Coordinates of all heavy atoms in Angstrom, one line a residue:
M769 N 10.2 -13.8 -8.7 CA 11.4 -13.6 -7.8 C 10.8 -14.0 -6.4 O 9.9 -13.3 -5.9 CB 11.8 -12.2 -7.9 CG 12.9 -11.9 -6.9 SD 13.3 -10.1 -7.0 CE 14.8 -10.1 -6.0
T770 N 11.4 -14.9 -5.8 CA 11.1 -15.2 -4.3 C 12.3 -15.1 -3.5 O 13.3 -15.6 -3.8 CB 10.5 -16.7 -4.3 OG1 9.4 -16.8 -5.1 CG2 10.1 -17.0 -2.8
V771 N 12.2 -14.3 -2.4 CA 13.2 -14.0 -1.5 C 12.7 -14.3 0.0 O 11.6 -13.9 0.2 CB 13.7 -12.6 -1.5 CG1 14.9 -12.4 -0.5 CG2 14.1 -12.2 -3.0
S772 N 13.5 -15.1 0.7 CA 13.0 -15.3 2.0 C 13.7 -14.3 3.0 O 14.9 -14.0 2.9 CB 13.4 -16.8 2.5 OG 12.8 -17.7 1.7
K773 N 12.9 -13.7 4.0 CA 13.3 -12.8 4.8 C 12.7 -13.1 6.2 O 11.7 -13.8 6.3 CB 12.9 -11.4 4.5 CG 13.5 -10.8 3.2 CD 14.8 -10.3 3.5 CE 15.4 -9.5 2.4 NZ 16.7 -8.9 2.7
R774 N 13.4 -12.6 7.3 CA 12.8 -12.7 8.6 C 12.2 -11.2 9.0 O 12.8 -10.3 8.6 CB 13.8 -13.1 9.6 CG 14.2 -14.5 9.6 CD 15.2 -14.8 10.8 NE 15.8 -16.1 10.4 CZ 15.4 -17.3 10.7 NH1 14.2 -17.4 11.3 NH2 16.1 -18.4 10.4
V775 N 11.1 -11.3 9.7 CA 10.5 -10.1 10.2 C 11.4 -9.6 11.4 O 11.7 -10.4 12.3 CB 9.0 -10.3 10.7 CG1 8.4 -9.1 11.2 CG2 8.3 -10.9 9.5
A776 N 11.7 -8.3 11.4 CA 12.5 -7.7 12.5 C 11.6 -7.5 13.7 O 10.4 -7.7 13.6 CB 13.0 -6.4 12.0
K777 N 12.2 -7.3 14.9 CA 11.4 -7.1 16.1 C 10.4 -5.9 15.8 O 9.4 -6.0 16.5 CB 12.4 -6.6 17.2 CG 12.7 -7.6 18.2 CD 13.5 -7.0 19.4 CE 14.0 -8.1 20.2 NZ 15.1 -7.6 21.1
S778 N 10.8 -4.9 15.1 CA 9.9 -3.9 14.9 C 8.7 -4.2 14.0 O 7.8 -3.3 13.8 CB 10.6 -2.6 14.2 OG 11.1 -3.1 12.9
G779 N 8.7 -5.3 13.3 CA 7.8 -5.7 12.4 C 8.1 -5.5 10.9 O 7.5 -5.8 10.1
A780 N 9.4 -4.8 10.8 CA 9.8 -4.4 9.4 C 10.3 -5.6 8.7 O 10.9 -6.6 9.3 CB 10.8 -3.3 9.6
V781 N 10.1 -5.6 7.4 CA 10.7 -6.4 6.5 C 11.4 -5.6 5.4 O 10.7 -4.8 4.8 CB 9.6 -7.4 5.8 CG1 10.3 -8.3 4.8 CG2 8.9 -8.2 6.8
T782 N 12.7 -5.9 5.2 CA 13.4 -5.1 4.2 C 13.2 -5.6 2.8 O 13.4 -6.9 2.6 CB 15.0 -5.1 4.5 OG1 15.1 -4.6 5.8 CG2 15.7 -4.2 3.4
L783 N 12.7 -4.8 1.9 CA 12.6 -5.2 0.5 C 13.9 -5.3 -0.2 O 14.7 -4.4 -0.1 CB 11.7 -4.3 -0.3 CG 10.3 -4.1 0.3 CD1 9.6 -3.0 -0.5 CD2 9.5 -5.4 0.3
P784 N 14.3 -6.3 -0.8 CA 15.7 -6.5 -1.5 C 15.8 -5.3 -2.5 O 14.9 -4.9 -3.2 CB 15.6 -7.8 -2.3 CG 14.4 -8.6 -1.6 CD 13.6 -7.6 -1.1
R785 N 17.1 -4.9 -2.6 CA 17.3 -3.8 -3.5 C 16.7 -4.0 -5.0 O 16.2 -3.0 -5.5 CB 18.9 -3.6 -3.6 CG 19.3 -2.4 -4.5 CD 20.8 -2.5 -4.8 NE 21.5 -2.3 -3.4 CZ 22.0 -1.2 -3.0 NH1 21.8 0.0 -3.7 NH2 22.6 -1.0 -1.9
Q786 N 17.0 -5.1 -5.5 CA 16.6 -5.4 -6.8 C 15.1 -5.2 -7.0 O 14.7 -4.6 -7.9 CB 17.1 -6.7 -7.3 CG 16.8 -7.0 -8.9 CD 17.0 -8.5 -9.3 OE1 17.6 -9.3 -8.5 NE2 16.4 -8.9 -10.3
L787 N 14.3 -5.7 -6.0 CA 13.0 -5.7 -6.1 C 12.4 -4.2 -6.0 O 11.6 -3.7 -6.6 CB 12.4 -6.5 -4.9 CG 10.9 -6.9 -4.9 CD1 10.7 -8.3 -4.3 CD2 10.1 -5.8 -4.2
R788 N 13.1 -3.5 -5.0 CA 12.9 -2.0 -4.9 C 13.0 -1.3 -6.3 O 12.2 -0.5 -6.6 CB 13.7 -1.4 -3.9 CG 13.4 -1.8 -2.5 CD 14.0 -0.9 -1.3 NE 15.4 -0.7 -1.5 CZ 16.4 -1.4 -0.9 NH1 16.2 -2.3 -0.1 NH2 17.7 -1.1 -1.1
Q789 N 14.1 -1.6 -6.9 CA 14.4 -0.9 -8.2 C 13.4 -1.3 -9.3 O 13.0 -0.5 -10.0 CB 15.8 -1.1 -8.6 CG 16.8 -0.4 -7.8 CD 18.2 -0.9 -8.0 OE1 18.5 -2.0 -8.5 NE2 19.2 -0.1 -7.5
E790 N 13.1 -2.6 -9.3 CA 12.1 -3.1 -10.3 C 10.8 -2.5 -10.2 O 10.0 -2.2 -11.2 CB 12.0 -4.7 -10.3 CG 13.3 -5.3 -10.9 CD 13.3 -6.8 -10.8 OE1 12.2 -7.4 -10.3 OE2 14.2 -7.4 -11.0
T791 N 10.3 -2.3 -8.9 CA 9.0 -2.0 -8.6 C 8.8 -0.4 -8.5 O 7.7 0.1 -8.5 CB 8.4 -2.6 -7.4 OG1 9.2 -2.2 -6.3 CG2 8.4 -4.1 -7.5
G792 N 10.0 0.3 -8.2 CA 9.9 1.7 -8.0 C 9.5 2.0 -6.6 O 9.1 3.2 -6.3
I793 N 9.4 1.0 -5.8 CA 9.0 1.2 -4.3 C 10.3 1.6 -3.7 O 11.1 0.8 -3.1 CB 8.4 0.0 -3.7 CG1 7.1 -0.3 -4.5 CG2 8.1 0.2 -2.2 CD1 6.3 -1.5 -3.9
L794 N 10.7 2.9 -3.7 CA 11.9 3.5 -3.3 C 11.6 4.2 -2.0 O 10.5 4.5 -1.6 CB 12.5 4.4 -4.3 CG 12.8 3.7 -5.6 CD1 13.1 4.7 -6.7 CD2 14.0 2.7 -5.5
P795 N 12.8 4.6 -1.2 CA 12.6 5.3 0.0 C 11.5 6.5 -0.1 O 11.7 7.3 -1.1 CB 13.9 5.8 0.5 CG 14.8 4.7 -0.1 CD 14.1 4.3 -1.4
G796 N 10.6 6.6 0.8 CA 9.6 7.7 0.7 C 8.4 7.5 0.0 O 7.4 8.3 0.0
V797 N 8.4 6.5 -1.0 CA 7.2 6.2 -1.8 C 6.2 5.6 -0.8 O 6.3 4.6 -0.3 CB 7.5 5.2 -3.0 CG1 6.4 4.7 -3.6 CG2 8.6 5.9 -3.9
P798 N 5.0 6.2 -0.9 CA 3.8 5.7 -0.1 C 3.3 4.3 -0.7 O 3.2 4.2 -1.9 CB 2.8 6.8 -0.2 CG 3.0 7.6 -1.3 CD 4.6 7.4 -1.7
V799 N 3.0 3.4 0.2 CA 2.5 2.2 -0.3 C 1.2 1.7 0.5 O 0.8 2.3 1.5 CB 3.5 1.0 0.0 CG1 4.7 1.2 -0.9 CG2 3.8 0.9 1.5
D800 N 0.4 0.9 -0.2 CA -0.8 0.4 0.4 C -0.5 -1.0 0.8 O 0.2 -1.8 0.0 CB -2.0 0.3 -0.5 CG -2.4 1.8 -1.0 OD1 -2.3 2.7 0.0 OD2 -2.9 2.0 -2.0
I801 N -0.8 -1.5 1.9 CA -0.5 -2.9 2.5 C -1.8 -3.5 2.8 O -2.7 -3.0 3.4 CB 0.3 -2.9 3.7 CG1 1.6 -2.1 3.5 CG2 0.6 -4.2 4.3 CD1 2.4 -1.8 4.7
E802 N -2.1 -4.7 2.0 CA -3.4 -5.4 2.1 C -3.1 -6.8 2.4 O -2.1 -7.5 1.9 CB -4.0 -5.2 0.7 CG -5.5 -5.7 0.7 CD -6.0 -5.5 -0.7 OE1 -5.7 -6.5 -1.5 OE2 -6.6 -4.6 -1.1
A803 N -3.9 -7.4 3.2 CA -3.7 -8.8 3.5 C -5.1 -9.6 3.1 O -6.1 -9.1 3.2 CB -3.5 -9.0 5.1
D804 N -4.8 -10.8 2.6 CA -5.9 -11.7 2.3 C -5.4 -13.1 2.4 O -4.4 -13.3 3.1 CB -6.4 -11.4 0.9 CG -5.4 -11.7 -0.2 OD1 -4.4 -12.5 0.0 OD2 -5.6 -11.2 -1.4
E805 N -6.2 -14.1 2.0 CA -5.8 -15.5 2.3 C -4.5 -15.9 1.7 O -3.9 -16.9 2.1 CB -7.0 -16.4 1.8 CG -7.4 -16.4 0.4 CD -8.2 -15.3 0.0 OE1 -8.7 -14.5 0.9 OE2 -8.6 -15.2 -1.2
D806 N -4.1 -15.2 0.6 CA -2.8 -15.4 0.0 C -1.6 -14.9 0.7 O -0.4 -15.4 0.4 CB -2.7 -14.9 -1.4 CG -3.8 -15.7 -2.4 OD1 -4.0 -16.8 -2.1 OD2 -4.3 -15.0 -3.3
G807 N -1.8 -13.9 1.6 CA -0.7 -13.3 2.3 C -0.8 -11.8 2.3 O -1.9 -11.3 2.3
V808 N 0.3 -11.2 2.4 CA 0.3 -9.7 2.6 C 0.9 -9.1 1.2 O 1.9 -9.5 0.7 CB 1.3 -9.3 3.7 CG1 1.4 -7.7 3.7 CG2 0.9 -9.8 5.0
H809 N 0.2 -8.1 0.7 CA 0.5 -7.6 -0.6 C 0.9 -6.0 -0.4 O 0.2 -5.3 0.3 CB -0.7 -7.6 -1.5 CG -1.1 -9.0 -1.6 ND1 -0.7 -10.0 -2.6 CD2 -2.1 -9.7 -1.0 CE1 -1.4 -11.1 -2.5 NE2 -2.2 -10.9 -1.5
I810 N 2.0 -5.7 -1.0 CA 2.4 -4.2 -0.9 C 2.3 -3.7 -2.3 O 3.0 -4.2 -3.2 CB 3.8 -4.2 -0.3 CG1 3.9 -4.8 1.1 CG2 4.4 -2.7 -0.3 CD1 5.3 -4.9 1.7
R811 N 1.7 -2.6 -2.5 CA 1.6 -1.9 -3.7 C 1.9 -0.4 -3.6 O 1.6 0.2 -2.5 CB 0.2 -2.0 -4.4 CG -0.2 -3.4 -4.7 CD -1.6 -3.5 -5.3 NE -2.0 -4.8 -5.4 CZ -2.6 -5.7 -4.5 NH1 -2.7 -5.1 -3.3 NH2 -2.9 -6.9 -4.6
K812 N 2.3 0.1 -4.6 CA 2.5 1.6 -4.7 C 1.1 2.3 -4.4 O 0.2 1.8 -4.9 CB 3.0 2.2 -6.0 CG 4.5 2.2 -6.2 CD 4.7 2.9 -7.4 CE 6.2 3.0 -7.7 NZ 6.5 3.5 -9.0
H813 N 1.1 3.2 -3.5 CA -0.2 3.9 -3.2 C -0.7 4.7 -4.4 O 0.1 5.5 -5.0 CB 0.0 4.8 -2.1 CG -1.3 5.6 -1.7 ND1 -2.4 5.0 -1.3 CD2 -1.6 7.0 -1.9 CE1 -3.4 5.9 -1.2 NE2 -2.8 7.1 -1.5
V814 N -1.9 4.5 -4.9 CA -2.7 5.2 -5.8 C -3.5 6.3 -5.2 O -4.4 5.9 -4.5 CB -3.3 4.3 -6.8 CG1 -4.0 5.2 -7.8 CG2 -2.5 3.3 -7.5
P815 N -3.2 7.6 -5.3 CA -4.2 8.6 -4.7 C -5.6 8.3 -5.2 O -5.9 8.3 -6.4 CB -3.6 9.9 -5.3 CG -2.1 9.6 -5.6 CD -2.2 8.2 -6.1
T816 N -6.5 8.3 -4.2 CA -7.9 7.9 -4.5 C -8.8 8.8 -3.8 O -8.5 9.1 -2.6 CB -8.2 6.5 -4.1 OG1 -7.2 5.6 -4.6 CG2 -9.5 6.0 -4.4
C817 N -9.8 9.4 -4.5 CA -10.7 10.4 -3.7 C -11.4 9.7 -2.6 O -12.0 8.7 -2.7 CB -11.8 10.9 -4.7 SG -12.9 12.0 -4.0
H818 N -11.2 10.4 -1.5 CA -11.9 9.9 -0.2 C -13.4 9.8 -0.2 O -14.0 9.0 0.4 CB -11.5 10.9 1.0 CG -12.0 10.6 2.3 ND1 -11.7 9.6 3.1 CD2 -13.1 11.2 2.8 CE1 -12.4 9.6 4.2 NE2 -13.3 10.6 4.1
F819 N -14.0 10.7 -1.2 CA -15.4 10.8 -1.2 C -16.1 9.9 -2.3 O -17.1 9.3 -2.0 CB -15.8 12.2 -1.4 CG -15.3 13.2 -0.3 CD1 -14.1 13.9 -0.5 CD2 -16.0 13.3 0.9 CE1 -13.6 14.7 0.5 CE2 -15.4 14.1 1.9 CZ -14.3 14.8 1.7
C820 N -15.4 9.8 -3.5 CA -16.2 9.1 -4.5 C -15.3 7.9 -5.0 O -15.9 7.0 -5.7 CB -16.6 10.0 -5.6 SG -15.2 10.5 -6.7
G821 N -14.1 7.8 -4.6 CA -13.3 6.6 -5.0 C -12.6 6.7 -6.4 O -11.9 5.8 -6.7
T822 N -12.8 7.8 -7.0 CA -12.1 7.9 -8.3 C -10.6 8.1 -8.1 O -10.2 8.5 -7.0 CB -12.6 9.1 -9.2 OG1 -12.0 9.0 -10.5 CG2 -12.2 10.4 -8.6
V823 N -9.8 7.8 -9.2 CA -8.4 8.0 -9.1 C -8.0 9.0 -10.1 O -6.7 9.3 -10.3 CB -7.6 6.6 -9.4 CG1 -7.8 5.6 -8.3 CG2 -7.9 6.1 -10.7
D824 N -8.8 9.7 -10.8 CA -8.6 10.7 -11.7 C -8.5 12.0 -11.1 O -9.5 12.4 -10.4 CB -9.7 10.6 -12.9 CG -9.8 9.4 -13.6 OD1 -8.6 8.8 -13.8 OD2 -10.8 8.9 -14.0
D825 N -7.5 12.8 -11.4 CA -7.4 14.3 -11.0 C -7.6 14.4 -9.6 O -8.3 15.2 -9.0 CB -8.4 15.1 -11.8 CG -8.0 16.4 -12.0 OD1 -6.8 16.8 -11.5 OD2 -8.8 17.3 -12.5
V826 N -6.8 13.6 -8.8 CA -6.9 13.6 -7.3 C -5.7 14.3 -6.7 O -4.5 14.2 -7.1 CB -6.9 12.2 -6.7 CG1 -6.9 12.2 -5.2 CG2 -8.2 11.4 -7.2
K827 N -6.0 15.2 -5.7 CA -4.9 16.0 -5.0 C -5.1 15.7 -3.5 O -6.2 15.4 -3.1 CB -5.0 17.4 -5.3 CG -4.6 17.8 -6.7 CD -4.4 19.2 -7.0 CE -4.3 19.5 -8.5 NZ -3.1 20.1 -8.8
T828 N -4.1 16.0 -2.8 CA -4.2 15.8 -1.3 C -4.4 17.3 -0.7 O -3.6 18.1 -1.0 CB -3.0 15.2 -0.7 OG1 -2.9 13.9 -1.3 CG2 -3.1 15.0 0.8
V829 N -5.5 17.5 0.0 CA -5.8 18.7 0.7 C -6.0 18.6 2.1 O -6.9 17.7 2.5 CB -7.1 19.4 -0.1 CG1 -7.4 20.8 0.6 CG2 -6.9 19.6 -1.5
C830 N -5.3 19.2 2.9 CA -5.4 19.1 4.4 C -5.3 17.5 4.8 O -6.1 17.1 5.6 CB -6.7 19.7 4.9 SG -6.9 21.5 4.7
G831 N -4.5 16.8 4.1 CA -4.4 15.5 4.4 C -5.4 14.5 3.9 O -5.3 13.3 4.1
I832 N -6.3 15.1 3.1 CA -7.4 14.2 2.5 C -7.3 14.2 1.0 O -7.1 15.3 0.3 CB -8.8 14.7 2.9 CG1 -8.9 14.6 4.5 CG2 -9.9 14.0 2.2 CD1 -10.2 15.2 5.0
E833 N -7.3 13.0 0.4 CA -7.3 12.9 -1.1 C -8.6 13.2 -1.6 O -9.5 12.6 -1.1 CB -6.7 11.5 -1.5 CG -5.3 11.3 -1.0 CD -4.7 9.9 -1.2 OE1 -5.5 9.0 -1.4 OE2 -3.5 9.8 -1.1
I834 N -8.7 14.1 -2.6 CA -10.0 14.5 -3.1 C -9.8 14.8 -4.6 O -8.9 15.4 -5.0 CB -10.5 15.8 -2.3 CG1 -12.0 16.1 -2.8 CG2 -9.7 17.0 -2.4 CD1 -12.7 17.2 -1.9
C835 N -10.9 14.5 -5.3 CA -10.8 14.7 -6.8 C -11.4 16.2 -7.0 O -12.1 16.7 -6.2 CB -11.7 13.7 -7.5 SG -13.4 13.9 -7.4
R836 N -11.1 16.6 -8.3 CA -11.6 17.9 -8.6 C -13.2 18.0 -8.5 O -13.7 19.0 -8.1 CB -11.2 18.2 -10.1 CG -11.6 19.6 -10.6 CD -11.1 19.9 -11.9 NE -9.6 19.8 -12.2 CZ -8.7 20.8 -11.8 NH1 -9.3 22.0 -11.4 NH2 -7.5 20.7 -11.9
G837 N -13.9 17.0 -9.0 CA -15.4 17.0 -9.0 C -16.0 17.2 -7.5 O -16.8 18.0 -7.3
C838 N -15.4 16.5 -6.6 CA -15.9 16.5 -5.2 C -15.4 17.8 -4.6 O -16.2 18.5 -3.8 CB -15.3 15.3 -4.4 SG -16.2 13.7 -4.8
A839 N -14.2 18.3 -5.0 CA -13.7 19.6 -4.4 C -14.7 20.7 -4.9 O -15.0 21.6 -4.1 CB -12.3 19.9 -4.9
E840 N -15.2 20.6 -6.1 CA -16.0 21.7 -6.6 C -17.4 21.6 -6.0 O -18.0 22.7 -5.6 CB -16.1 21.6 -8.2 CG -14.9 22.2 -8.8 CD -14.9 22.1 -10.3 OE1 -15.8 21.6 -10.9 OE2 -13.8 22.4 -10.9
K841 N -17.9 20.4 -5.7 CA -19.2 20.3 -4.8 C -19.0 20.9 -3.6 O -19.9 21.6 -3.1 CB -19.5 18.8 -4.8 CG -20.2 18.2 -5.9 CD -20.6 16.8 -5.7 CE -20.6 15.9 -7.0 NZ -20.6 14.5 -6.7
I842 N -18.0 20.6 -2.9 CA -17.8 21.2 -1.5 C -17.6 22.8 -1.6 O -18.3 23.5 -0.9 CB -16.5 20.7 -0.9 CG1 -16.7 19.2 -0.5 CG2 -16.1 21.5 0.4 CD1 -15.4 18.4 -0.1
R843 N -16.9 23.2 -2.6 CA -16.9 24.7 -2.8 C -18.2 25.4 -3.0 O -18.5 26.4 -2.5 CB -15.9 25.0 -4.0 CG -15.5 26.4 -4.1 CD -14.4 26.7 -5.2 NE -14.7 26.1 -6.4 CZ -15.5 26.7 -7.5 NH1 -15.7 27.9 -7.2 NH2 -15.6 26.0 -8.5
E844 N -19.1 24.7 -3.8 CA -20.4 25.2 -4.1 C -21.2 25.3 -2.9 O -21.9 26.2 -2.8 CB -21.1 24.3 -5.2 CG -20.7 24.6 -6.6 CD -21.0 23.3 -7.6 OE1 -21.9 22.6 -7.1 OE2 -20.5 23.3 -8.6
E845 N -21.0 24.4 -1.9 CA -21.7 24.4 -0.7 C -21.4 25.7 0.1 O -22.3 26.2 0.9 CB -21.4 23.2 0.2 CG -22.1 21.9 -0.3 CD -23.5 21.9 -0.1 OE1 -24.0 22.5 0.9 OE2 -24.2 21.5 -1.0
F846 N -20.3 26.2 -0.1 CA -19.8 27.4 0.7 C -20.1 28.7 -0.1 O -19.8 29.8 0.5 CB -18.4 27.4 1.0 CG -18.1 26.3 2.1 CD1 -17.7 25.0 1.9 CD2 -18.2 26.7 3.5 CE1 -17.5 24.2 3.0 CE2 -18.0 25.8 4.5 CZ -17.6 24.5 4.2
E847 N -20.6 28.6 -1.2 CA -20.9 29.8 -2.1 C -22.1 30.4 -1.8 O -22.5 31.5 -2.4 CB -20.6 29.5 -3.5 CG -19.1 29.6 -3.9 CD -18.9 29.3 -5.4 OE1 -19.9 29.0 -6.1 OE2 -17.8 29.5 -5.8
E848 N -23.0 29.8 -1.1 CA -24.4 30.4 -0.9 C -24.5 31.5 0.0 O -23.7 31.7 0.9 CB -25.4 29.2 -0.6 CG -25.6 28.4 -1.9 CD -26.1 27.0 -1.4 OE1 -26.7 26.8 -0.3 OE2 -26.2 26.0 -2.2
Ligands
ZN1531 ZN1 -14.3 12.5 -5.7

């Protein structure tokens, strides 16, 4: 599916309704935006541990995405 759009003054580009529904990129869904030689890519954000990079069992704590393993390491540091 290729759709041509113009970039608004604000820099915004509206995703066509059909594309939003197909991809599940709906209002409020966090996205990652990446640019490379092919252009700009928008993907649903996958929560990723800030410390080790895993995507398994990740929660957001104080605005930082952290996995259970790293959270436990930090907790152990405070238990001494
Ligand atoms: Zn981690």
Side-chain angles (χ1 to χ4, degrees):
M769 177 184 186
T770 302
V771 180
S772 294
K773 290 279 185 174
R774 283 185 198 277
V775 178
K777 255 186 193 168
S778 66
V781 177
T782 302
L783 302 175
R785 178 190 300 265
Q786 188 190 340
L787 196 147
R788 294 195 306 264
Q789 288 170 343
E790 283 175 11
T791 59
I793 298 178
L794 300 167
V797 169
V799 295
D800 294 330
I801 302 168
E802 188 180 84
D804 63 20
E805 62 277 2
D806 292 328
V808 177
H809 308 272
I810 300 171
R811 294 182 189 82
K812 269 189 185 174
H813 176 67
V814 177
T816 305
C817 179
H818 174 77
F819 299 99
C820 73
T822 189
V823 296
D824 298 325
D825 206 4
V826 174
K827 292 190 188 239
T828 302
V829 179
C830 298
I832 295 172
E833 294 173 345
I834 185 168
C835 75
R836 182 177 299 274
C838 289
E840 283 174 6
K841 279 183 203 159
I842 291 169
R843 191 171 51 90
E844 284 166 13
E845 285 294 315
F846 285 94
E847 277 183 351
E848 289 164 13

